Amino acid sequence: MEVELTRDEEFAILTLNRPEALNALSFQILREIGEALDEAARSDARALLVTGAGEKAFCAGADIKELRNRSLTEQRAGAELGHAAFGKLDRLPIPSVALVNGYAFGGGLELALACTFRLAAPKAKMGLPEIKLGLIPGYGGTQRLPRVIGPARALEMILTGRTVEAREAEKLGLVNRVVEGDLLAAGKAFAREFTSYGLPALRLAREAVTRALDLPLHEGLMMEADLSTLAFQTEDAEEHMAAFEMKRKAAFKDR
Ligand code: CAA
């Protein structure tokens, strides 16, 4: 297995474990990512942390050696496999945090972009270098990058294929923050800012913001009215609003 899913406290941790190839995404690894995400969705973890094994890389992208000499049908199936695997992060019932511990290129950055949040080590380097191979990003980069950093900056990264260092990535909004020291510990601390809240509201908030980027404003506001009404109907909301009024403590039950 080149993808490991482990449990640590309230976290599920997905590790790409192919350091000899800088965790490059073979088709087998993409399938294993999909399976690991299904398992994470079934678990009682409250957040998923995604990282890469080894000192150098989060993930150096699609396995270039596998990409060659394929028919158009195979290419298309490969893109759909990547979309299906990373799309599971959108539908994961818990938020996810990519811990970008080194290189995140091509499909590797696309994996990080599919996560809810991204933290980076100071030495991390990111980019979509597909243009240098005569390709364009194929695992969601042309769609998710402009949604995260805006179309002008996304086009600059995609058309030049240039490498962005961690500090610049933070300024661009490509990563939420750059953290010194132990990235896993920092990822846990970051996630603990939300893991004690109720899962239904966390999920509804993620869905509302994700769909905001696809909808005209008036439709988005209607969708927000629907989702916020659903949040009001949860036991968690009722219990916490009652507890506020009665000045007593309450606990989230995820219902
Ligand atoms: N695919 C397959 N193997 C890869 C790989 C990749 N994307 N990236 C690195 N490797 C392998 C290398 O072939 C090498 O293996 P060998 O020792 O067997 O030769 C090993 O990992 C170590 O790599 P390097 O020796 O190149 O390490 P480096 O430190 O000198 O360079 C790097 C690091 C700058 C990340 C360089 O490896 C590199 O440029 N990799 C390719 C990055 C890239 O172009 N990614 C985009 C892929 S296309 C894509 O992702 C399309 C899409 O949208 C889905």
Side-chain angles (χ1 to χ4, degrees):
M1 295 287 277
E2 289 177 328
V3 172
E4 285 173 7
L5 187 76
T6 52
R7 282 299 311 275
D8 185 3
E9 303 170 278
E10 70 266 53
F11 305 103
I13 303 177
L14 186 155
T15 307
L16 304 180
N17 193 6
R18 195 191 175 200
E20 68 285 1
L22 304 186
N23 303 317
L25 297 168
S26 62
F27 297 119
Q28 179 57 25
I29 285 202
L30 285 175
R31 277 186 283 272
E32 288 183 25
I33 289 174
E35 287 160 18
L37 292 175
D38 288 341
E39 197 182 327
R42 287 191 299 268
S43 78
D44 61 354
R46 302 191 72 82
L48 173 75
L49 307 176
V50 180
T51 192
E55 293 299 307
K56 280 174 82 171
F58 174 75
C59 170
D63 187 322
I64 298 171
K65 295 161 196 169
E66 260 189 14
L67 291 180
R68 301 189 57 215
N69 303 319
R70 295 187 312 153
S71 68
L72 280 183
T73 315
E74 288 169 326
Q75 300 282 357
R76 175 84 197 191
E80 285 172 1
L81 179 64
H83 289 166
F86 296 177
K88 288 181 190 237
L89 284 158
D90 292 330
R91 293 183 294 282
L92 203 64
I94 53 177
S96 50
V97 187
L99 304 177
V100 184
N101 51 311
Y103 297 123
F105 288 132
L109 182 56
E110 292 169 300
L111 170 61
L113 283 166
C115 292
T116 318
F117 303 107
R118 286 154 293 285
L119 301 187
K123 66 166 187 182
K125 294 185 198 303
M126 286 152 263
L128 293 177
E130 286 87 345
I131 203 81
K132 298 178 186 172
L133 298 166
L135 300 172
I136 72 168
Y139 292 164
T142 65
Q143 304 304 301
R144 289 198 176 92
L145 186 64
R147 283 168 164 80
V148 172
I149 65 171
R153 288 165 164 170
L155 276 167
E156 186 185 330
M157 280 183 69
I158 292 169
L159 266 59
T160 64
R162 82 179 173 85
T163 297
V164 170
E165 309 270 335
R167 291 289 169 199
E168 186 188 354
E170 188 179 33
K171 281 195 202 126
L172 290 171
L174 180 53
V175 300
N176 292 78
R177 53 188 83 150
V178 177
V179 289
E180 308 275 347
D182 184 338
L183 191 56
L184 182 59
K188 288 181 181 178
F190 178 85
R192 282 200 180 102
E193 290 185 39
F194 56 77
T195 48
S196 63
Y197 298 137
L199 292 180
L202 287 169
R203 189 166 184 179
L204 290 167
R206 275 170 62 215
E207 189 177 339
V209 173
T210 306
R211 288 171 63 186
L213 300 168
D214 291 333
L215 293 174
L217 181 62
H218 68 284
E219 285 179 34
L221 290 173
M222 279 195 290
M223 175 269 299
E224 183 190 76
D226 290 342
L227 296 186
S228 63
T229 304
L230 279 181
F232 269 97
Q233 288 168 349
T234 61
E235 283 181 37
D236 280 343
E238 176 51 33
E239 166 64 3
H240 278 72
M241 289 190 289
F244 177 80
E245 226 174 295
M246 292 169 201
K247 299 188 188 302
R248 63 170 170 78
K249 284 207 160 175
F252 287 104
K253 292 183 179 154
D254 298 330
R255 288 200 294 265

